[in-house]
Amino acid sequence: MIMAMMPQIMERRYRIQYKPDRSPVTEADQYIEAKLHAFLQDRLPGLTFVGEESYDFQAAEHPGYFVLLDPIDGTENFCSGLKEWGVSLGVWKDGIHQGSLLMIPELGEHLMTGDPCTNLHSRITGFSSSFNEEIADGIRDAIEYRVTGCAVYNLFNVIRGSFARFINPKGAYAWDLLPGVMLALEHGCSVRVNDADYHGQFLEPHRKYRVDIRHRYDPHPG
């Protein structure tokens, strides 16, 4: 569905507005979110839908089907003409994970619950682009590092082993992280959330979470 919509997505790429926090949002973000919301609403009865561009940040109970969507993660990349942006989607039912998807359309990459995955060996640590002093310290100590500005790209790469590790010490919302975190667990990665071992519990969308994910093959000591 995303690939079929790519002409419409590209048409809306540079129609940019800015949120109160001065982060960009494009008409493409809103277009993808509206289309996927309608698609899922028709197929999942009693759906609670949380998309980055429409969530009102009010905590609520969510029995039944619950969907987290970031229609374009890495919007700053996207509206700057870079290809490192992605779609993040997770589906839960009664608090139990049903499936997740990471997709990087312009690079032709995706990973979905149940898909096989490569097992590459890398020395690279990926860091969030939201600055934090821990990132500066980590870059100083890293064997190799990358800062790409897209959580979907970072999560995809640590899961497949193109990164040995991905660190976001400042924190991001569940729609940025949770689908990829669930895929990381599925593929044997070590996952810590807010400085504690993570075992798959639901992450509420109204707060931010710090993550530290290591690929199952990780040359870093400790």
Side-chain angles (χ1 to χ4, degrees), residues 19-35:
K19 302 177 187 179
D21 65 0
R22 299 304 300 158
S23 63
V25 58
T26 70
E27 286 188 13
D29 293 76
Q30 297 161 340
Y31 177 79
I32 294 171
E33 185 159 316
K35 289 292 186 180

Side-chain angles (χ1 to χ4, degrees), residues 160-197:
R160 72 197 296 260
S162 294
F163 290 171
R165 189 178 182 186
F166 166 54
I167 305 171
N168 181 337
K170 188 170 184 178
Y173 289 105
W175 50 71
D176 298 306
L177 299 173
L178 188 53
V181 165
M182 296 307 298
L183 287 165
L185 287 179
E186 178 182 339
H187 290 281
C189 297
S190 168
V191 179
R192 289 179 64 81
V193 174
N194 289 347
D195 306 312
D197 291 341

